[in-house]
Amino acid sequence: MKVHVVSQDSPKLLDRMRAEIRLRHYSLRTEHVYVDWARRYILFHGKQHPQALGAEAVRDFLSYLASERHVSASTQNQAKSALLFLYREVLKIELPWLDEVIAAKSTQRLPVVLTPTEARRLLDATSGTMGLIVALLYGTGMRLLEGLRLRVKDVEFERREIVVREAKGNKDRVTVLPENLILPLRMHLEKVRALHERDLEAGFGMVQLPDALAVKYPSAPRAWAWQFVFPSGKRSLDPRSGMERRHHIHESSVQRAVREAAKLARIAKPVSPHVLRHSFATHLLQAGYDIRTVQELLGHKDVSTTMIYTHVLNKGGRGVVSPLDR
């Protein structure tokens, strides 16, 4: 498909879309994704305004993603959600046919899980701050961004727990703080505090706060309690406010570190930070913890989501002893 330059109307429409997203306090990641899908949709239909397009246009675009781009079901559904937002919240058009566009059915697959030995080898292949992050993800079951967005105030050393704020579904939950990470985390936070104090001396030290907390508590952005546990090595400009601040470490750095560690550990599986979450849940079940406890630690809304990890409790195919082994 030939890519066209976006028409003059499109930037105005996309700016309106950004404004509606920010009004609802959606994340910057969601903003980028939704605006990008809207842009692709407009370009796909030759720069026609979405208001002039109907159900057939949406179906054609989603079909193109599946049949020609070969995107996954989750990606296709993400595109549909972006278009739903575009029509309902930005264009203020309530179109019944958009609900009738069938969502792609996701394929149920068993998660990639490391054995305890592989997990240990992976941890041994990491060091420094990245090693601490990898150990924290495996030891707590947090998602990658949950770990990177962790604030100092949410690490409860005395209670041996971590409070995960605004997790998936905008819910808070509590997970375990591994005993073996208490000393390394304390030492790490001493270095982070020294970095924060240097930022304050240089006239910086403000951190991004969720929603309108910065307005309600003007001194909070500079407070030590609100700082990220894993701050970036350098300050950067906030794309929304334009302020120079120190954000958390970028997720791509951790993803790259995990891939490199897996190669060093010679693990013949596709290993990503999310595999550590799968391994956390699996190893807890293998250790005899009940599934409701694991569900609570992972923050799953429904226990059926956690049930996917129970396949490891069966040895072989559903616990059957093959006749070849008799």
Side-chain angles (χ1 to χ4, degrees):
M1 182 184 73
K2 184 178 179 181
V3 177
H4 300 273
V5 178
V6 181
S7 66
Q8 291 183 351
D9 287 338
S10 294
K12 295 178 183 177
L13 177 64
L14 298 183
D15 286 342
R16 286 166 54 196
M17 190 172 188
R18 290 188 186 94
E20 290 293 337
I21 290 172
R22 293 176 188 182
L23 185 65
R24 289 160 179 76
H25 301 289
Y26 286 8
S27 69
L28 185 60
R29 177 186 295 269
T30 301
E31 178 183 323
H32 288 330
V33 170
Y34 274 26
V35 170
D36 187 56
W37 280 122
R39 182 185 291 110
R40 292 189 195 187
Y41 177 66
I42 292 168
L43 292 176
F44 178 79
H45 289 294
K47 301 182 292 183
Q48 292 185 68
H49 198 286
Q51 201 160 5
L53 302 172
E56 199 64 35
V58 175
R59 290 195 191 96
D60 289 346
F61 180 65
L62 296 179
S63 297
Y64 158 75
L65 293 178
S67 60
E68 296 188 37
R69 293 296 303 277
H70 305 291
V71 302
S72 66
S74 59
T75 301
Q76 189 181 10
N77 289 333
Q78 183 188 72
K80 180 188 174 183
S81 297
L83 296 181
L84 274 168
F85 186 91
L86 173 65
Y87 277 99
R88 288 179 175 169
E89 309 300 339
V90 183
L91 297 175
K92 307 299 181 184
I93 298 176
E94 196 65 41
L95 299 176
W97 53 260
L98 204 48
D99 286 324
E100 297 171 7
V101 177
I102 301 173
K105 187 175 181 179
S106 300
T107 305
Q108 287 291 332
R109 301 202 181 276
L110 295 178
V112 175
V113 175
L114 301 177
T115 65
T117 302
E118 289 172 334
R120 175 53 53 192
R121 280 162 43 199
L122 183 73
L123 293 174
D124 289 342
T126 61
S127 60
T129 302
M130 287 301 168
L132 182 58
I133 293 173
V134 171
L136 190 68
L137 295 179
Y138 172 61
T140 63
M142 287 189 291
R143 300 175 179 88
L144 175 56
L145 280 176
E146 290 173 351
L148 294 181
R149 290 171 178 166
L150 194 63
R151 311 275 181 160
V152 172
K153 68 181 182 64
D154 295 323
V155 181
E156 298 278 2
F157 287 107
E158 297 299 323
R159 298 176 63 177
R160 302 296 193 265
E161 64 185 29
I162 288 178
V163 182
V164 183
R165 304 285 184 184
E166 296 182 358
K168 193 172 182 179
N170 201 28
K171 295 179 180 178
D172 295 350
R173 74 175 190 278
V174 175
T175 187
V176 61
L177 172 59
E179 193 78 27
N180 288 336
L181 288 184
I182 291 177
L183 182 57
L185 260 178
R186 286 187 184 276
M187 295 173 64
H188 169 76
L189 287 177
E190 287 179 8
K191 297 177 183 177
V192 173
R193 184 154 201 166
L195 177 64
H196 176 55
E197 289 174 354
R198 289 198 297 272
D199 280 346
L200 289 174
E201 291 173 1
F204 298 99
M206 293 185 69
V207 71
Q208 180 267 334
L209 294 187
D211 298 331
L213 282 176
V215 177
K216 189 175 183 181
Y217 306 107
S219 61
R222 289 187 174 86
W224 165 240
W226 281 99
Q227 302 305 306
F228 289 115
V229 173
F230 299 106
S232 172
K234 59 182 180 180
R235 295 188 297 268
S236 59
L237 293 179
D238 188 303
R240 285 183 172 176
S241 67
M243 294 181 62
E244 184 175 339
R245 296 193 280 217
R246 194 178 295 276
H247 204 51
H248 59 67
I249 290 175
H250 199 273
E251 59 266 32
S252 63
S253 300
V254 183
Q255 292 164 344
R256 183 168 55 252
V258 169
R259 287 196 302 268
E260 292 173 355
K263 289 180 182 177
L264 286 174
R266 296 188 177 182
I267 299 174
K269 295 176 181 177
V271 183
S272 68
H274 206 68
V275 168
L276 299 171
R277 177 174 164 87
H278 294 324
S279 302
F280 166 84
T282 301
H283 297 167
L284 283 183
L285 290 173
Q286 287 177 321
Y289 288 95
D290 67 277
I291 196 164
R292 292 289 182 181
T293 298
V294 177
Q295 176 194 357
E296 185 178 339
L297 292 174
L298 293 176
H300 286 162
K301 182 179 180 180
D302 198 303
V303 72
S304 62
T305 308
T306 319
M307 288 289 290
I308 195 170
Y309 299 111
T310 59
H311 74 282
V312 299
L313 303 182
N314 302 308
K315 296 182 178 179
R318 296 292 175 186
V320 175
V321 178
S322 169
L324 185 62
D325 294 330
R326 291 188 181 279

